[in-house]
Amino acid sequence: MRTLSEQDIRPLAPNDSAFRNGKKISDSGAFTERVCSKDESYYAGRCKGSGKSLYQVSACFEEGKAPVIRCSCPSRQFPCKHGIALLFEIAAGKDFAETEIPEDIVKKQEKLKKRDEKKSEEKAEPAEGKPQAKKKSASGQTAFRKKTEKQLEGLLLLNEALSRRMKLGLLSGLTNTKEEDALLIKRLGDSYLSGPQQLFKRFTFLLSEAGTAREQEKKESLLRGAVRELEKLRTLVRRGSAYLTERPEATEPDANPLYDALGGVRKKEELEALGLTLAETALLQLAFEVRYDEAKREFLDLGHWISLSDGTIYREMNFRPLSAKNYIAEKDSSDWRLRAERFPYYPAFPGEAARIRLEDATAEQPEAADFSRIIGFAAPIAQAVKQAAKALQSVLAEDKAPALLQLSDVAVKEDAVYLRDAAGSLLRVTDANGSEAALRQLSQFDTGKSAIFGLFFADEVRRELCFLPQSLVTGRGIIRLML
């Protein structure tokens, strides 16, 4: 049996919570089966989770390297708590029955080995014309530190401005703050704080609109939006200041999403150097929409994609400012399956779908098996609601949480449309852009075993979690519900 200790496991956990939860899962006897290969390079088990099905967990060991951990659960953490729990099972010396290494795992390990060999070759002799992650020069490192100092100064200015505004009252003396606000927006840009700058722009825009709104309902809606932006700003100031202060000698960006939230810009090769890449998979688009932000005067082409390897959902984001609309191509929906050796993605806050880059992908015709696989990734309604509620608690994350739900049938009751899963759980849907009307039509037909993709969001007026459906996945394809 392979020897492991808690000291060996701790650095492999993505955070303390995953470490503690992994220990609890192991101690609770959640594993119903444990197997390992004769050479002890492969360990696997079946683990009880929050759903009815057991999670398939495995860990592949190679001398001198961290184990490659895989799990069939929907968690976006890597490794997840179930993977950490499997390591605790090994550390506890529990019985593992001997087994052969599954063929699909052998193939995945071979692919990883080839990829590592290729990386080693590229490191030794960089391919001509291929972008490489370059170490910053001494002058570049100095510039990075100065940028950090400017960001801290800018956050201090922003904090002071927000404190003054809160003392005055959100709408008090609004006309007298326009000049001060415009100056602060410029100072935030000069301080490399484009993230807080855009949030502050939206905050002041919503306050201005609320100050001139005649209808009380509209005024209250705008003020609620302004309060949300204020909460994000204050959280970003607090967490951003702590983040920058804790790494005063840093000369390179790290994988913390706060770097991006403050306005950091990452190149593709920098994401790859940080290991922020998705390998050995293909992606299919679940939904596509175009949003317009009046405060930023910018369009956003937003596509949600799903990994056919593990069911993780990602976002593709294409920003088109009005001032540059003639220079940036507009994105469109896609019915193709995209494949690449690796997809770089950006760090994300807990529960948030990470932004992914797809520019180097090859388009393929999807197969029927792809849609069946997507349906297999769908979560029961109760589980999805619980995960979405937790994800939306993160102040800095996106305010809409994507989810793929199991769907047994669509029911219309008392002029409302409900989704029902195999367990009989019901979820009322929210109408937008015709999606509810489309579901009403579908309720007349037998949808069979299928899945539905949409966005959860918090309705502050009704004080409840709402679900906005965007597409239906059947064994034959994906039906877009939004007009």
Side-chain angles (χ1 to χ4, degrees):
M1 177 68 68
R2 185 173 290 271
T3 304
L4 284 178
S5 66
E6 288 196 9
Q7 288 70 30
D8 296 323
I9 298 172
R10 184 173 289 279
L12 299 174
N15 49 52
D16 287 341
S17 177
F19 179 81
R20 291 194 302 270
N21 289 334
K23 182 81 164 60
K24 287 179 184 177
I25 290 170
S26 176
D27 291 344
S28 70
F31 279 84
T32 62
E33 181 184 347
R34 291 179 296 271
V35 295
C36 74
S37 61
K38 188 175 181 179
D39 63 358
E40 297 184 0
S41 65
Y42 169 77
Y43 286 79
R46 293 175 184 268
C47 179
K48 295 176 185 176
S50 54
K52 288 185 178 180
S53 342
L54 297 174
Y55 296 136
Q56 307 288 330
V57 196
S58 67
C60 294
F61 292 85
E62 187 177 340
E63 202 63 38
K65 293 185 178 181
V68 177
I69 300 171
R70 300 177 175 91
C71 182
S72 61
C73 78
S75 173
R76 293 189 179 91
Q77 280 191 340
F78 181 80
C80 67
K81 59 186 179 182
H82 309 103
I84 298 300
L86 179 62
L87 299 183
F88 274 111
E89 296 284 285
I90 300 170
K94 295 185 180 180
D95 293 333
F96 282 75
E98 189 174 311
T99 188
E100 295 293 326
I101 303 177
E103 187 177 347
D104 65 318
I105 296 292
V106 173
K107 288 181 179 178
K108 287 179 179 179
Q109 290 301 104
E110 287 175 351
K111 283 185 180 179
L112 284 175
K113 187 176 181 180
K114 287 179 181 177
R115 189 184 71 186
D116 290 342
E117 289 173 352
K118 187 173 182 180
K119 280 185 178 179
S120 299
E121 291 171 3
E122 289 174 353
K123 191 174 181 181
E125 289 184 42
E128 187 178 350
K130 186 169 183 179
Q132 300 291 317
K134 297 179 180 178
K135 198 165 185 67
K136 289 186 182 293
S137 62
S139 59
Q141 293 174 359
T142 302
F144 189 89
R145 290 196 187 98
K146 287 184 177 179
K147 174 185 171 183
T148 300
E149 292 172 3
K150 289 285 288 182
Q151 286 181 313
L152 281 167
E153 292 173 5
L155 289 175
L156 181 61
L157 286 173
L158 176 58
N159 187 50
E160 292 171 351
L162 294 176
S163 297
R164 285 195 300 272
R165 177 61 62 83
M166 291 182 69
K167 286 179 182 178
L168 287 172
L170 290 185
L171 293 180
S172 300
L174 185 61
T175 55
N176 299 327
T177 63
K178 286 186 176 179
E179 189 174 328
E180 178 186 332
D181 291 345
L183 179 60
L184 177 60
I185 288 170
K186 183 180 183 304
R187 292 290 297 274
L188 290 173
D190 294 340
S191 300
Y192 310 100
L193 292 170
S194 60
Q197 181 191 49
Q198 297 302 331
L199 286 175
F200 188 74
K201 277 185 180 180
R202 190 177 295 112
F203 169 65
T204 55
F205 172 80
L206 291 169
L207 282 183
S208 177
E209 291 291 296
T212 58
R214 294 184 178 181
E215 298 178 8
Q216 186 62 26
E217 186 177 344
K218 184 177 181 182
K219 182 188 286 288
E220 290 176 358
S221 175
L222 289 165
L223 282 173
R224 282 194 298 271
V227 170
R228 281 197 303 273
E229 298 306 310
L230 177 61
E231 185 181 12
K232 286 184 180 181
L233 278 166
R234 289 175 61 81
T235 301
L236 187 53
V237 167
R238 185 182 71 254
R239 291 182 58 186
S241 298
Y243 163 69
L244 294 173
T245 304
E246 287 170 1
R247 52 196 308 269
E249 298 304 315
T251 57
E252 300 278 350
D254 58 12
N256 194 318
L258 282 169
Y259 175 82
D260 307 78
L262 291 171
V265 178
R266 301 180 192 266
K267 296 179 181 179
K268 177 185 172 184
E269 54 268 28
E270 291 174 340
L271 294 172
E272 292 176 345
L274 287 168
L276 297 171
T277 56
L278 177 66
E280 301 180 44
T281 192
L283 302 170
L284 268 177
Q285 190 184 85
L286 292 173
F288 177 82
E289 61 178 304
V290 179
R291 298 178 184 175
Y292 179 65
D293 188 331
E294 180 63 37
K296 294 169 64 178
R297 295 179 61 79
E298 180 180 72
F299 286 99
L300 166 62
D301 304 327
L302 176 63
H304 280 98
W305 296 75
I306 186 167
S307 164
L308 296 179
S309 293
D310 58 10
T312 302
I313 295 170
Y314 296 89
R315 293 181 294 167
E316 181 192 20
M317 306 171 74
N318 182 48
F319 298 96
R320 294 183 289 116
L322 279 181
S323 58
K325 64 179 182 180
N326 296 328
Y327 306 100
I328 301 176
E330 181 179 354
K331 293 283 185 178
D332 201 353
S333 59
S334 172
D335 295 324
W336 296 98
R337 178 177 64 193
L338 299 187
R339 187 180 298 278
E341 183 179 344
R342 51 184 176 266
F343 294 100
Y345 62 87
Y346 294 82
F349 291 105
E352 185 178 55
R355 180 186 173 190
I356 198 164
R357 299 180 61 149
L358 307 175
E359 62 263 33
D360 295 331
T362 301
E364 305 171 338
Q365 191 70 36
E367 301 172 356
D370 295 331
F371 306 117
S372 297
R373 188 166 180 77
I374 291 173
I375 293 171
F377 292 131
I381 288 175
Q383 178 184 329
V385 168
K386 184 178 178 181
Q387 290 175 342
K390 186 176 180 180
L392 292 172
Q393 290 175 3
S394 178
V395 176
L396 296 179
E398 176 70 19
D399 58 5
K400 291 184 176 63
L404 183 68
L405 312 181
Q406 292 177 0
L407 181 64
S408 178
D409 67 276
V410 180
V412 179
K413 295 183 178 182
E414 299 177 356
D415 295 328
V417 178
Y418 293 84
L419 308 174
R420 182 166 26 228
D421 62 13
S425 297
L426 289 173
L427 176 67
R428 181 175 176 174
V429 303
T430 301
D431 191 22
N433 299 333
S435 58
E436 182 180 316
L439 283 172
R440 284 179 183 273
Q441 295 295 320
L442 288 170
S443 67
Q444 304 174 39
F445 303 94
D446 180 12
T447 55
K449 184 181 178 183
S450 55
I452 192 160
F453 171 77
L455 305 174
F456 279 103
F457 65 95
D459 187 318
E460 296 175 348
V461 177
R462 291 159 58 183
R463 293 184 177 276
E464 64 182 21
L465 197 62
C466 299
F467 182 73
L468 172 61
Q470 292 195 311
S471 61
L472 177 70
V473 185
T474 72
R476 301 176 63 182
I478 299 174
I479 302 171
R480 312 284 174 137
L481 300 175
M482 296 180 66
L483 301 176

